[in-house]
Structure formats: C-alpha cells, structure tokens
Amino acid sequence: MNKPLLAALATLAVTGVGVAPAAASSAAPAAPAAPASSAAPAARAVSFAGTVALSNCSGSVVRLPASEDDDPALVMSNGHCLETGFPAAGEVVVDQPSSRSFGLLNASGTRVGTLRASKIAYATMTDTDVSLYQLTSTYAQIRGSYGISPLTLNDTRPTAGTAITVVSGYWKRTYACNVDGFAYRLKEGEWTWKDSVRYTSACQTIGGTSGSPVVDNATGKVVAVNNTGNEDGGRCTDNNPCEVAEDGTVTVREGINYGQQTYQIPACFGLDNKLDLSRSGCVLPKP
C-alpha cells in the first residue's frame, strides 16, 4: 500500500530507486514537486480548497450529504495514515482520542490554518482503507475563519470512465485520469479491500498522496480515497497489491494505482455527524 514516505525515503536513500504512491514524511518538503501533467480542462475546476496536509499523508475536510453547518467537521484520510500505525487486518478503531493537527489549504494550495482533531471517529484497513477524524471545529467555524467549505462525500457508487482528480494536500499536487474499473478484491500483504477503484495509468501518484480525496470532476464530490499502487510487479505483497476476481483469478498490474470507494460512509453517520455502525444500510466493518 502507500507505505509511509518516511520508510519510502529511507528505501530511496539506500537503493536509489523511486517510490510508489505513499504516505508522506513527517518533514515538510523543501520544495513541492512540480504539478503532474494533468492538463485536461475538466481537471482545472478541481482545486485544493478543503484539502489538508497531515504529518505523513494527505487528506480532506469532508461533509456528509446530511451534515449541517454546526456539526463537528470531519477529516478523511487512510487507515494506514493513523499516527498509531497500521491497523491489523480485522481491526477497527472507533472513538479513540486524538489531538492530531492538519494543515488546511485554500484553493491555490496555500496553507491558511491549522485544524485539530478531538478523536479518531473511525478507522480501519479491513475491506477499505480509511480514517475519519472528528475535529474540534465545526464546518461553520472553519468557513468563518478561513472562508473554506468542506468537500462532500458522494453517496452513490462511481462508474467506470468517470473523469477524476486525485488531490494531494501534502504535495499540493493533482493527478487527473479516469476510473478504469473496479477490483472485486484487492489484496496486499495481510490486508484485503473490497470493490477498489482502479485508475487509468495517467494517475501516477507518488509518496505522500495516501489519503488524498478522489474527486469526480463533473460533480466536485468525493468518490474515493487514494491509498495504494503496485510498485514493481510483485504479487499480493506489501506495496504490490494484486486484484483477485470473484472466481479467484489473480491479476497483477504493475504501475497501476488504486483508491477505496467512499459512498458507503454516509450511511454510517447520523445526526451531528455521530458515527453509528448499527444504522440501516451501514456496511463498514465493525469492531
């Protein structure tokens, strides 16, 4: 999966080779990488507003379709980006105290403020790879202080061919491509994810893009969270996920990157953005 860039950079220093999409180093980059070649006109409408930089990953301030302005805001990233390390297969983290900070970006990618978590509302690397932090600020407070609105999670499944942009708050860099299709199961080391989004080859995400929102260019809504890619053609190993079809057929796509769908998340939150895994329609793994 998108291994933390702290480890990836160590590998780079030792081997001299490049790194696949990964969580970022805790040190801020001296000079952000140049923007990817994402010149498609539709992609230009997608900005950095509402994205965040974590100490080791990317993320975004997100709202659910039913969220209200006075609800505590949520930040979404990957489960493997938790400050406590990778959750084990089968592990689900719920309502764990956290004071993690996030650098909030405006439309042009300038850091305009710092947001702080009150807890990890939900996180797992089972079936999906997602973390959702509850903040100490409401959406209204963030908008009032910084003039920035959250991104909205779409509650419907994306379709193949959808034009998307992966927006990395850590690198202040975007990647434009399309949904190439879906992996029935995506297996990487001890973890298995369901119905993962496979990108077309144009989205060559790099270390630091873990947790980036994947935005539908047409609607501006978030349809997935970026999380992994096959680095060097390995088969179902760490940093080399493989696709497993319903009949058990295994396919390896070297250099192809993936995200985890997010349309299932809204059904698991109720009034005041409160997590409720017992709600009707909620299919997220439970502790």
Side-chain angles (χ1 to χ4, degrees), residues 36-46 163-165 174-178 217:
S37 55
S38 53
R44 293 181 188 140
V46 178
I164 55 174
T165 302
T174 64
Y175 303 80
C177 59
N178 294 79
N217 293 348

Side-chain angles (χ1 to χ4, degrees), residues 125-199:
M125 288 179 65
T126 299
D127 294 353
T128 186
D129 183 7
V130 70
S131 59
L132 290 153
Y133 289 84
Q134 181 174 301
L135 302 184
T136 57
S137 307
T138 66
Y139 298 117
Q141 288 169 334
I142 294 171
R143 187 180 299 112
S145 296
Y146 308 109
I148 293 175
S149 297
L151 301 178
T152 298
L153 295 183
N154 203 341
D155 57 3
T156 58
R157 188 177 185 272
T159 58
T162 298
I164 55 174
T165 302
V166 181
V167 188
S168 172
Y170 186 91
W171 287 116
K172 303 177 180 63
R173 181 172 178 178
T174 64
Y175 303 80
C177 59
N178 294 79
V179 174
D180 185 53
F182 304 91
Y184 174 72
R185 297 289 184 267
L186 192 66
K187 180 172 175 55
E188 181 173 343
E190 68 176 272
W191 298 279
T192 299
W193 303 305
K194 296 180 178 179
D195 201 21
S196 303
V197 174
R198 180 176 63 249
Y199 311 147

Side-chain angles (χ1 to χ4, degrees), residues 53-130:
L54 284 69
S55 59
N56 63 339
C57 283
S58 298
S60 56
V61 181
V62 295
R63 67 180 297 276
L64 315 170
S67 293
E68 299 180 345
D69 280 354
D70 61 353
D71 289 340
L74 301 172
V75 160
M76 182 177 70
S77 188
N78 284 147
H80 79 256
C81 292
L82 289 181
E83 64 268 40
T84 52
F86 293 6
E91 182 180 0
V92 177
V93 177
V94 173
D95 290 336
Q96 178 176 300
S98 173
S99 58
R100 194 168 195 179
S101 61
F102 312 91
L104 179 67
L105 306 185
N106 65 12
S108 64
T110 300
R111 180 171 175 151
V112 294
T114 299
L115 305 176
R116 192 165 297 278
S118 61
K119 66 179 180 179
I120 301 167
Y122 183 87
T124 191
M125 288 179 65
T126 299
D127 294 353
T128 186
D129 183 7
V130 70

